Amino acid sequence: MATFSSIVFFNINTAHTERMALGLFVWDETHLFFQHSKRRLKVAGEFLSAGERKLLATTVHLFESGIKRLQDESTAGRRLESAFDYLARYNDNLTGFSPPKPINMPCDLDNFQKLYATIIEPMNATAPVNESPWKTQVKRRLYPKIEQAVARDVE
């Protein structure tokens, strides 16, 4: 059984073919894996307008929901190679795809995680967390009033 991979990337500048890897698909005839980087998705959003950010987030969400649907089909892996080949050639939007590449390893979760960590980022990397405005206001207005009675910033 052949195993294939395709990288999902964000087109930063199509005129100069600048792009950033966002996620990874790996599949064979019976297994299908996809993971995207929330941190890289957030960085990609810095290059985009609000509408484009929403489109990019929706696209990634559609990938995830499509994967869940395809994982239930036993023949999905056979059709994916031609689908990714088509997307790699003709898709020219915010996201793009590398052509499907055969890889010489079994398609299982452990190998997928190793490949993802090598190509995209370590699996445990998380997006930087920015404080939301309400949390900042609570700290600024409420904490001084209750400081004596409450332990602050305990999680």
Side-chain angles (χ1 to χ4, degrees):
M1 231 182 308
T3 301
F4 294 91
S5 70
S6 180
I7 300 170
V8 180
F9 55 85
F10 164 67
N11 289 311
I12 297 171
N13 185 343
T14 54
H16 298 289
T17 62
E18 294 174 349
R19 53 193 190 182
M20 175 176 53
L22 290 178
L24 178 68
F25 284 95
V26 175
W27 71 92
D28 65 7
E29 289 184 10
T30 57
H31 300 93
L32 173 61
F33 298 99
F34 170 70
Q35 177 72 34
H36 75 280
S37 167
K38 290 181 173 112
R39 185 179 64 81
R40 287 183 177 223
L41 191 62
K42 185 171 182 157
V43 169
E46 298 297 322
F47 292 94
L48 304 172
S49 67
E52 290 171 327
R53 272 193 302 275
K54 180 75 173 160
L55 179 62
L56 184 60
T58 302
T59 301
V60 171
H61 176 70
L62 289 172
F63 291 158
E64 291 173 335
S65 62
I67 291 301
K68 290 176 185 164
R69 197 173 46 245
L70 284 172
Q71 285 173 333
D72 296 336
E73 296 181 28
S74 60
T75 61
R78 294 184 203 130
R79 298 188 314 249
L80 285 176
E81 184 180 358
S82 60
F84 276 100
D85 189 44
Y86 177 85
L87 287 170
R89 288 184 193 178
Y90 301 112
N91 184 30
D92 192 19
N93 287 319
L94 288 175
T95 57
F97 300 85
S98 69
K101 298 215 187 307
I103 53 177
N104 191 18
M105 62 173 47
C107 185
D108 59 29
L109 184 59
D110 188 48
N111 286 333
F112 173 76
Q113 289 175 338
K114 289 176 186 173
L115 197 58
Y116 181 88
T118 302
I119 296 172
I120 309 296
E121 68 182 6
M123 292 295 282
N124 59 359
T126 58
V129 178
N130 293 336
E131 278 194 355
S132 60
W134 71 268
K135 197 172 186 180
T136 306
Q137 288 208 7
V138 166
K139 284 185 175 182
R140 189 170 40 94
R141 291 182 182 170
L142 182 61
Y143 277 177
K145 295 175 184 173
I146 61 171
E147 203 166 26
Q148 309 305 328
V150 177
R152 288 179 49 163
D153 293 326
V154 176
E155 294 189 28

